[in-house]
Amino acid sequence: MPASCPHATIKKMSMEVIALDNYNSTNGTVQHDQGNSSRPAADSAAPVPAYSGFSPVDTYDGQPLRRKQSGLGIASFTIFASMALIFAIMLGSVAVKLTGLIDMETGVYDSAEIERRMADMPELALMSLALLGTLFGNLIGLILGIVGLVQKERKKVFAVLGTVLNGIVIVGLALLVLVSFAAVSVL
């Protein structure tokens, strides 16, 4: 049919009216009709939002998404708590085993007596290894915490706590070792 035909003009005008009926000016969306007669009318159907690439609030069916806690963050915090407990128990055990070797008033200690006691108590070597094991555990906890911080769509409370606390323990133990080496080199 030529474009000047009145039927073509009416059909074109009716298509424009349908397109205007499907446009929702309140939220800038367009509802598309695929010719399915079982589909509800345009007024009762939920509007299809125009894709903008940005959503200030993540939603699913109109409800905000609930983010889960980071499993790696929880693991990091749990590792910190367990390593802190093991460290406290082992340090307390070593202190109890070595009581009386240092004169608290003068700070003088008998190195020969300490060496003799350590030779008589092999469990002190195991306690020392356990203390080093807690440092290794804190290093793993620090790595898990950092990975937990990088995870998307997860809460980061435990990841932050695990990273900070494990980092404090590692830095604190490193400073303690440096201070002890400096003290030994001065003597």
Side-chain angles (χ1 to χ4, degrees):
M1 267 189 265
S4 62
C5 178
H7 294 291
T9 305
I10 292 172
K11 185 174 180 180
K12 182 179 178 186
M13 288 176 60
S14 67
M15 289 173 63
E16 290 173 350
V17 170
I18 291 171
L20 286 176
D21 286 342
N22 290 338
Y23 179 75
N24 186 348
S25 63
T26 58
N27 62 4
T29 60
V30 176
Q31 295 181 357
H32 301 283
D33 185 13
Q34 275 111 17
N36 188 354
S37 60
S38 64
R39 189 172 179 190
D43 294 336
S44 65
V48 177
Y51 178 73
S52 68
F54 173 75
S55 175
V57 177
D58 293 331
T59 60
Y60 179 72
D61 291 338
Q63 299 293 324
L65 292 176
R66 297 187 67 195
R67 294 187 300 168
K68 294 180 181 180
Q69 285 288 352
S70 169
L72 296 174
I74 293 171
S76 173
F77 183 75
T78 305
I79 287 173
F80 162 75
S82 61
M83 292 299 122
L85 182 65
I86 291 170
F87 184 80
I89 290 170
M90 290 299 134
L91 193 61
S93 298
V94 169
V96 167
K97 295 280 186 184
L98 297 178
T99 54
L101 295 178
I102 299 174
D103 185 7
M104 297 310 264
E105 294 173 7
T106 61
V108 176
Y109 61 92
D110 184 10
S111 61
E113 179 65 20
I114 291 175
E115 287 177 14
R116 188 188 66 73
R117 280 214 186 168
M118 289 186 74
D120 291 342
M121 293 183 265
E123 63 269 10
L124 283 176
L126 292 175
M127 289 179 194
S128 300
L129 287 176
L131 290 175
L132 286 175
T134 59
L135 179 63
F136 181 70
N138 285 115
L139 183 62
I140 291 173
L142 178 68
I143 292 169
L144 289 176
I146 291 170
V147 173
L149 287 173
V150 177
Q151 284 183 322
K152 293 182 179 181
E153 311 255 343
R154 298 288 183 158
K155 292 182 181 178
K156 300 192 181 342
V157 173
F158 285 107
V160 168
L161 286 173
T163 302
V164 169
L165 294 174
N166 283 308
I168 288 172
V169 169
I170 291 171
V171 169
L173 287 175
L175 288 175
L176 184 67
V177 167
L178 288 175
V179 167
S180 66
F181 281 146
V184 168
S185 66
V186 169
L187 295 176

